Amino acid sequence: MAQQDFDFIRQLAYRESGIVLPDRKQHMVYSRLSRRLRALKLSNFNQYCQRLEDDGCELINFINALTTNLTSFFREAHHFDYLERHLVPQWQQRRNRRLRVWSSACSTGEEAYSIAMTLAKHFPPANWDLKILATDLDTNVLDKARAGIYNQEAMANLPKKLLDKYVEPGPKPDEVKLSESLKQLIHFKQLNLLGDWPMQGPFDLIFCRNVLIYFDLQTKAKIISQFRQLLAEDGHLFIGHSETLHNVSSDFKLIGQTIYQPQHAALARQRLGIGA
């Protein structure tokens, strides 16, 4: 990979997805994209860069190869604890029985299904209009998420009551699948956070975890501003354990461990003496 190839690749990645690829990521880029060169029977990265310029379809594979999809069920457990201990009781007092949650970088679906398992028992579909939107840039991981089929090992840490209620035998001996009742709560959709957002909102809760770390400050600020526009006035935003909105946005106030709320709502909580 010549330097000019890497420069082209990182400029394209930034333009199409907002992902920032510093020099230290060159080896990672080489490793991931080499698979595409082999699949296309290309001899070098110069040829691949030319292919990216000429073939719009390859751009999807390019983005899929570069995105990182490390995830697990109930990852960063404090968020799900806060959801169940604090948000569920608040929401159960509503007259309007509508709930909307967005998993904005859902990867292979573990986050969205974890949200669904947490909420389904408290908000049965017979009485509540509960919908979870789950989006990701990578079309490959979305296919896996929609299928809801995982290795048994992925479920190892789930409580038995959740396994008994929502997990069924899968198509292979070492696989399991999630129940249709759980899948029906989630709508999986491809979405580029840098592109147009067709959803209307408002959302009661937005998960955007371990995504902002890939963006520069300007891109972070733009995305967070758009989240605020789609978030309910008393909504919440959860971000990743290594992320912060400090110096990114003044629209939100930190109320818990990587848990944010719109400024005015957070101030109202303080006046009422409601802790996180």
Side-chain angles (χ1 to χ4, degrees), residues 21 24-33 65-66 68:
L21 296 172
R24 58 186 170 83
K25 294 286 188 179
Q26 186 166 347
H27 179 73
M28 180 272 287
V29 170
Y30 177 90
S31 176
R32 294 190 179 187
L33 294 182
L66 290 179
T68 301

Side-chain angles (χ1 to χ4, degrees), residues 4-65:
Q4 65 182 21
D5 299 329
F6 180 63
D7 290 341
F8 173 85
I9 286 167
R10 63 179 171 185
Q11 289 167 16
L12 182 63
Y14 180 76
R15 186 176 77 230
E16 296 295 330
S17 68
I19 295 173
V20 176
L21 296 172
D23 288 336
R24 58 186 170 83
K25 294 286 188 179
Q26 186 166 347
H27 179 73
M28 180 272 287
V29 170
Y30 177 90
S31 176
R32 294 190 179 187
L33 294 182
S34 291
R35 303 166 195 165
R36 292 305 306 153
L37 268 69
R38 290 193 292 271
L40 296 169
K41 295 181 170 55
L42 300 176
S43 301
N44 55 59
F45 275 90
N46 181 261
Q47 291 178 359
Y48 185 63
C49 291
Q50 189 62 52
R51 182 66 171 263
L52 287 169
E53 286 190 317
D54 298 338
D55 183 0
C57 293
E58 178 56 25
L59 189 60
I60 297 173
N61 295 320
F62 169 76
I63 295 298
N64 288 352

Side-chain angles (χ1 to χ4, degrees), residues 31-222:
S31 176
R32 294 190 179 187
L33 294 182
S34 291
R35 303 166 195 165
R36 292 305 306 153
L37 268 69
R38 290 193 292 271
L40 296 169
K41 295 181 170 55
L42 300 176
S43 301
N44 55 59
F45 275 90
N46 181 261
Q47 291 178 359
Y48 185 63
C49 291
Q50 189 62 52
R51 182 66 171 263
L52 287 169
E53 286 190 317
D54 298 338
D55 183 0
C57 293
E58 178 56 25
L59 189 60
I60 297 173
N61 295 320
F62 169 76
I63 295 298
N64 288 352
L66 290 179
T67 50
T68 301
N69 294 292
L70 177 64
T71 186
S72 61
F73 287 96
F74 294 95
R75 186 184 185 193
E76 299 185 42
H78 67 280
H79 282 152
F80 296 97
D81 181 67
Y82 186 90
L83 174 57
E84 184 143 35
R85 289 176 178 269
H86 296 274
L87 297 187
V88 164
Q90 292 178 28
W91 293 345
Q92 286 176 326
Q93 302 304 312
R94 288 184 172 181
R95 294 182 180 178
N96 174 11
R97 298 197 161 201
R98 174 191 181 278
L99 283 175
R100 295 292 184 270
V101 180
W102 179 15
S103 169
S104 66
C106 69
S107 186
T108 45
E110 287 90 337
E111 179 177 273
Y113 287 119
S114 298
I115 297 168
M117 283 187 269
T118 303
L119 297 180
K121 59 186 175 183
H122 300 290
F123 305 103
N127 300 317
W128 286 84
D129 178 16
L130 167 63
K131 288 185 174 61
I132 300 165
L133 173 64
T135 65
D136 202 276
L137 179 63
D138 188 330
T139 55
N140 291 330
V141 297
L142 284 170
D143 289 340
K144 180 174 176 60
R146 290 189 187 97
I149 297 172
Y150 300 91
N151 292 330
Q152 289 185 357
E153 185 179 347
M155 304 286 184
N157 295 323
L158 262 66
K160 186 176 184 301
K161 60 182 179 181
L162 293 181
L163 291 171
D164 291 344
K165 188 168 186 178
Y166 298 117
V167 180
E168 305 168 357
K172 297 179 181 179
D174 62 338
E175 291 180 337
V176 293
K177 65 178 181 179
L178 292 168
S179 67
E180 289 301 318
S181 64
L182 209 60
K183 291 182 184 178
Q184 289 174 3
L185 298 175
I186 308 170
H187 177 60
F188 290 102
K189 184 176 178 61
Q190 197 273 342
L191 181 75
N192 186 341
L193 290 175
L194 265 65
D196 295 328
W197 296 7
M199 63 283 281
Q200 299 292 319
F203 289 97
D204 300 289
L205 173 60
I206 297 176
F207 281 69
C208 183
R209 306 191 303 174
N210 308 304
V211 179
L212 298 177
I213 53 175
Y214 296 105
F215 300 140
D216 61 17
L217 182 59
Q218 181 180 358
T219 304
K220 290 178 186 178
K222 177 184 176 183

Side-chain angles (χ1 to χ4, degrees), residues 224 228 245-253 261-264:
I224 294 301
R228 177 62 190 94
L245 298 190
H246 181 64
N247 292 331
V248 175
S249 173
S250 59
D251 292 335
F252 288 91
K253 184 175 180 61
Q261 200 172 24
Q263 276 283 6
H264 69 88

